[in-house]
Structure formats: C-alpha cells, structure tokens
C-alpha cells in the first residue's frame, strides 16, 4: 500500500494572494471542518453537503496556501489542517481561526460532520459486534447459487489473483476455490476477517487477509487480476469513489463482479444487518462503474434470493443481481 504524507503547498503566497484565496465562504467552511477532523475528500463533501467535484476544485486552490496537510494512500487523499508557525500564513490563520465558528453555515456543517463521523463509526462497529453471529443472520443465503454465479464470471482469471472486497466471513471467497489461485480478502472489520480466516483455513487457496476500506483499498495499483464485491455496495456512502478505487487495483483488462440487492423496503434490515441503503438500483451501479472507467458493463439476473433472518424473527426474501465490467486494456 502506498501511503505518503506531505504538506499541500510549498511556496508562501504574497499577502494579497493569500487573502484572495481565503476570501471565499466555501473554502472557509472547508477549513473550519478540517481544523477539527482529518477527512477524506468524500467525507468533507458530505459534511458540507456539496458535490465532490466542487470540493475538489476548492481544494486545488487551497493547495496554494499551504494550510493543508495531505496523506495519500493509493490515489486517495486524506486532509487535515497543518500546524503553522509564525510565518505570514501562520499569523493570518491565527487571526482568522477563531472567527470561523461565526459563519452562518458552521452549525449546520458541524451537524453534518457529526453524521459523517457517526456513519464512519457505525459502519465500522456493526460487523465487529456481530461477526460471531453473522452466519446465523445470513445462513439461508449461504447455500444459494448467487455467489457461485458471481465466481463463475471469474473463470477467465483461473490461476490468478482475485480480491474479495468486503469479504465478511468468507462466503464469497469459498466459491472461488478451484477457480483461482490466490485471493486477497479485504474487510474493514477485523472480527469478520477472523471468521473468514477460520472458514477458509482448509480451502487450499493461497490467502491473504487485509484490514481496509473500500474507500481506500489496501491493494497496490493493478495488483489483482480480478475482483469480487459481494453484498457490500449497500454499505458504502459513495459508489463512484469505490469503483474508482476498484479500477485502480485491478490490472488493465481485469474484471470486477459485484453482487447486490435490488432496492427494497425492509427497514428492519438497517438495524439488524447494518445496511446503509436498502438495496441499490442496478442502473446506479452501472452508471457509477462506467463513470469510474469500467467498460463492457453488464447486469445479470440471479435466480436465488437473499433471505436474511433478523434477531427478532423478522425475515425477508429479496431479489439480487450481478453487475460485471472490465478495466479497459492498456493501449498497445
Ligand atoms: C453483508 S457483509 C458481506 C460479506 C460477504 N461479501 C458476503 O457476500 O457474504 C458486508 C461486509 O462488508 C464489510 N464492509 C462494509 N463496508 C465496508 C467498507 N467500506 N470497506 C470494507 N469493508 C466493508 C463489512 O465489514 C462486512 O464484513
């Protein structure tokens, strides 16, 4: 994994340039949030209630000031405020910093920031908490054909390395036995990875378990020949961002296959299974994949259904679909 940190600017701008760059409400709101918390660009955009592209434009300008500290992991950027000394920027910043809280949008920004941080925490905690019991929640699903269908799309990757993203307890990894040689299992819950490790101990696969987020995959550029992501997209805040990351880690010409739920109305699943979204429209998935640079994107039907059972005896039978696409081959 590539992890580099650097100050986002080098040269100190002249005072008029510095003041011009600071004299923008959105940029000040960004600085006010980054003063409190290190955030990814996506998290910052959600906390501000703005499109990521707009936030990225402002960030480009803020880079000239040298107030930001950036940590790069793969292609992604985590941002926070850099400590300042007694240089021009430091002095201007000290005079300004305390007044940021007076901006009219600040209270709403902070409330959204709390939501973003709570979401980050909730998502991370849920699977750690339920890991030991997860297979009871999803037991009926484990015997279905959906994952075999997903795995079958990787037949072209025989003998090669596949990433299983959001691998959970390893249900999606299991059908890869005999099809591929090596699997890099990624999940942000260590407890789920531990269950997967146990389940797959005798699988004969060459396995590697890595703790990490789909927002910021712990996989090098082009490291895997293909990837699967089973039942994890509905946990993600930003689909396009996740697919951009997937495209980065799969080699040119490599394939991505995702298994997902159609939109549904079983609200108890939010609580019982920690799902952020109640399914996702297949066209939202294809659009995000195509925008992230995947080609030959195709939706496939799946016969069997997802049949979770809640702790209070709730149950549902929900239809599923597959989407597959390819990273374009490198031009020769
Ligand atoms: C519903 S389980 C699916 C597990 C497995 N892929 C399957 O098909 O059974 C979702 C898994 O995705 C993981 N997960 C959710 N959001 C994630 C994220 N942003 N990054 C990495 N893993 C995530 C959870 O920890 C959980 O283990």
């Amino acid at each position: 994994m590539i992890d580099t940190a650097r100050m986002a600017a080098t040269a100190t701008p002249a005072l008029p340039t510095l003041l011009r760059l600071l004299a923008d409400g959105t940029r000040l709101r960004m600085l006010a949030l980054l003063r409190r918390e290190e955030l990814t660009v996506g998290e910052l955009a959600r906390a501000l209630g703005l499109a990521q592209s707009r936030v990225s434009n402002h960030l480009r300008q803020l880079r000239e000031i040298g107030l930001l500290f950036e940590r790069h992991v793969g292609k992604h950027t985590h941002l926070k405020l850099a400590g300042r000394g007694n240089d021009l920027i430091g002095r201007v910043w000290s005079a300004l910093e305390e007044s940021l809280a007076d901006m009219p949008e600040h209270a709403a920004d902070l409330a959204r920031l709390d939501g973003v941080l709570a979401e980050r925490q909730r998502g991370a905690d849920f699977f750690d908490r339920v890991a030991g019991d997860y297979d009871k929640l999803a037991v009926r699903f484990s015997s279905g054909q959906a994952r075999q269908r997903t795995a079958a799309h990787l037949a072209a990757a025989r003998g090669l390395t596949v990433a299983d993203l959001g691998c959970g307890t390893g249900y999606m990894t299991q059908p890869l036995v005999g099809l591929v040689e090596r699997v890099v299992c990624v999940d942000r819950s260590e407890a789920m990875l531990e269950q997967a490790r146990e389940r797959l101990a005798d699988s004969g696969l060459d396995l590697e378990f890595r703790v990490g987020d789909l927002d910021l995959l712990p996989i090098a550029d082009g490291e895997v020949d293909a990837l699967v992501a089973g039942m994890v997209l509905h946990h993600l805040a930003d689909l396009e961002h996740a697919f951009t990351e997937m495209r980065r880690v799969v080699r040119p010409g490599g394939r991505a296959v995702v298994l997902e739920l159609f939109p549904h109305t079983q609200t108890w699943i939010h609580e019982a299974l920690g799902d952020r979204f109640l399914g996702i429209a297949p066209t939202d998935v294809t659009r995000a994949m195509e925008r992230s640079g995947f080609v030959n994107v195709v939706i496939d039907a799946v016969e069997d259904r997802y049949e979770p059972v809640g702790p209070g005896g709730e149950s549902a039978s929900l239809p599923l679909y597959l989407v597959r696409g390819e990273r374009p081959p490198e031009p020769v």
Side-chain angles (χ1 to χ4, degrees), residues 123-124 126-128 134 138 141 147 164-173 186-190 192-193 212-217 228-237 259 273 275-276 306:
F126 178 84
F127 285 100
D128 279 339
Y134 179 75
F141 185 40
R147 289 185 178 80
D164 180 1
L165 306 181
C167 65
T169 59
Y171 279 154
M172 187 63 247
T173 321
V186 177
D187 203 285
R188 71 177 172 194
S189 161
E190 289 195 39
M192 293 294 268
L193 281 175
D213 205 286
L214 269 85
D215 269 358
L216 205 64
L217 286 170
V228 291
M231 306 293 287
V232 66
L233 298 184
H234 54 254
H235 292 286
L236 306 181
L259 173 64
L273 294 171
D275 291 9
R276 183 192 294 253
Y306 183 49

Side-chain angles (χ1 to χ4, degrees), residues 24-34 44 47-50 54 100 103 105-106 109 112:
D24 178 278
T26 306
R27 290 201 277 280
L28 291 176
R29 287 169 63 202
M30 292 165 73
L31 292 171
L33 295 185
L34 292 171
L44 180 60
L48 293 165
L50 298 174
R54 195 160 153 214
L100 293 174
M103 286 189 299
E105 301 91 343
H106 191 58
D109 288 350
R112 272 190 302 264

